[in-house]
Amino acid sequence: MADERGAALLRGGVSSPRATFLELFFDLVFVFALTRVSQRILDDLGTAREDLPVEIAQTLVIFLAFWAVWTFTAWVTSRYEPEQPQIQFVVVYAMLGCMVMAVATPRAFDTRAVAFALAFVAVQVGRPIFLTLALRGHPRRLVTVRVASWAVASAVPWVLGAVLPGTWRLACWSVAVVVDYAGLMFGWPVPRLGATRTSTWAVLGEHLAERHQQFFLIALGENILVIGLAFSGRSFSAASSGAFLLSFVTTVLLWRIYFHRAGHLLTEAIRVARSPGRLGESMSWTHLVIVAGVLTTAVGYELAIVHPYERTRLAWAVFLTGGPAVFLLARARFEHEVFGRVSRSRLVGVLALAVLTPLATLTVSVVALAAAATVLAAITVTDYRRAYGRPPERPHPAL
């Protein structure tokens, strides 16, 4: 009887692959969370030069914490039936924790460290423990027991870092993030129980693919929000207006490059893959870098809109041209996952943007943004010419 109640939580043959309204509601929190992360980066760029690497490292830790919460929630709703009240509770619970984390983000390494760390720990520890209890006697509860064990282990440096000052906090939280991601990477191995790699999980691959596509759109939504807020607070000068237009065009180009074939065929690629779980696991890591590239690019937008005629500092160039380069590099891996090959235009684009990054310091920020947009536009045109007059390419997953 307990096994039957636990089995009712698992995805069945009649489960819809589409994301539920609650999951889309959950995603709205991350629009706010990503704006807090990008604002932290902008604040970091205003700090003293010697403190900038430390500030950027702190923001990276925060971003990785948010991604850990989102990606595991996506795996949960792809593995368990999201219409079940228990799973809906898990989603709402994670949503509340993310809201607290997002509110604490601006001062996460200062006065709100305890709030950020406890919210994260509450989600990461509470979620697998609740699922273990909800699964009752079902064999799959051993998976959530493994996850909970690693979450408790990472909770120690999270909580310890929250009460320690300065560099000790960054050191402790960095260790905690490594533990969190090592668990995900190696399958949360526990003595006697072994490991359970996500690549072997029975998940609804179409749902997982759609969730990552939706998170990419969330990142683009954060870009739109940054562009609008930055421009609405400025006078409508020719330079700011030009940077605003370039930022919008660049965002559209990111959308076009992502979804051109590979992005559209991700669901089908997982469906035809010989190892859907392995492809899903690889795709999750790829999207982590894709979203990081999009988020980094958004910081460049605000710099160009607010300081269009200022000489580009090297730190600014990292965001203006380096952000699109990171996106393209991850997008090349994404293409390899779906088609088993990489377009030459992606690699040429990464190389061009890498060369432009130091060269951008010789000009003003709006010109650097225009150069990055030109590279992305050239890739978009190349994609169009390559596909014109040819039958649609079908997925051929490399994994």
Side-chain angles (χ1 to χ4, degrees), residues 23-275:
E23 290 173 277
L24 297 177
F25 184 36
F26 170 71
D27 287 347
L28 294 179
V29 174
F30 284 86
V31 177
F32 173 63
L34 291 181
T35 59
R36 297 300 86 203
V37 173
S38 61
Q39 187 58 52
R40 262 195 69 96
I41 298 174
L42 288 164
D43 293 341
D44 294 343
L45 293 174
T47 62
R49 186 178 298 272
E50 61 273 12
D51 294 335
L52 183 57
V54 174
E55 298 287 342
I56 295 297
Q58 291 175 353
T59 304
L60 177 60
V61 167
I62 291 172
F63 170 69
L64 291 174
F66 278 116
W67 178 261
V69 173
W70 185 90
T71 193
F72 194 75
T73 303
W75 278 96
V76 166
T77 54
S78 293
R79 184 173 172 83
Y80 301 97
E81 178 53 63
E83 296 293 350
Q84 288 287 341
Q86 297 95 320
I87 306 305
Q88 291 179 338
F89 172 80
V90 168
V91 174
V92 173
Y93 179 73
M95 185 178 179
L96 174 60
C98 286
M99 274 297 295
V100 175
M101 290 168 60
V103 170
T105 289
R107 298 179 183 175
F109 277 84
D110 190 14
T111 57
R112 295 179 181 173
V114 173
F116 184 89
L118 290 184
F120 179 81
V121 168
V123 173
Q124 295 296 88
V125 174
R127 179 170 49 194
I129 289 177
F130 177 82
L131 288 173
T132 300
L133 297 175
L135 286 168
R136 299 175 185 270
H138 195 278
R140 284 198 186 171
R141 75 187 187 284
L142 296 179
V143 174
T144 54
V145 167
R146 295 182 182 96
V147 176
S149 300
W150 276 72
V152 170
S154 74
V156 175
W158 274 112
V159 175
L160 185 62
V163 297
L164 290 177
T167 55
W168 286 105
R169 179 168 298 154
L170 177 59
C172 287
W173 285 7
S174 297
V175 170
V177 166
V178 170
V179 173
D180 288 321
Y181 279 82
L184 179 61
M185 182 178 297
F186 298 111
W188 303 279
V190 172
R192 295 189 178 184
L193 295 180
T196 173
R197 293 288 298 272
T198 53
S199 59
T200 65
W201 286 9
V203 299
L204 195 60
E206 299 166 67
H207 176 270
L208 188 63
E210 182 179 290
R211 293 298 291 131
H212 282 83
Q213 290 168 334
Q214 289 165 349
F215 197 85
F216 172 73
L217 291 175
I218 291 170
L220 290 186
E222 188 272 342
N223 279 23
I224 295 296
L225 194 58
V226 167
I227 294 169
L229 291 174
F231 189 53
S232 64
R234 309 295 299 175
S235 60
F236 285 13
S237 65
S240 293
S241 298
F244 165 79
L245 181 60
L246 283 169
S247 299
F248 178 79
V249 169
T250 301
T251 302
V252 173
L253 291 171
L254 293 177
W255 163 81
R256 180 67 173 78
I257 291 170
Y258 173 86
F259 279 105
H260 178 72
R261 302 310 299 153
H264 276 297
L265 295 176
L266 177 57
T267 297
E268 185 177 346
I270 291 182
R271 187 187 304 122
V272 302
R274 285 178 293 179
S275 179

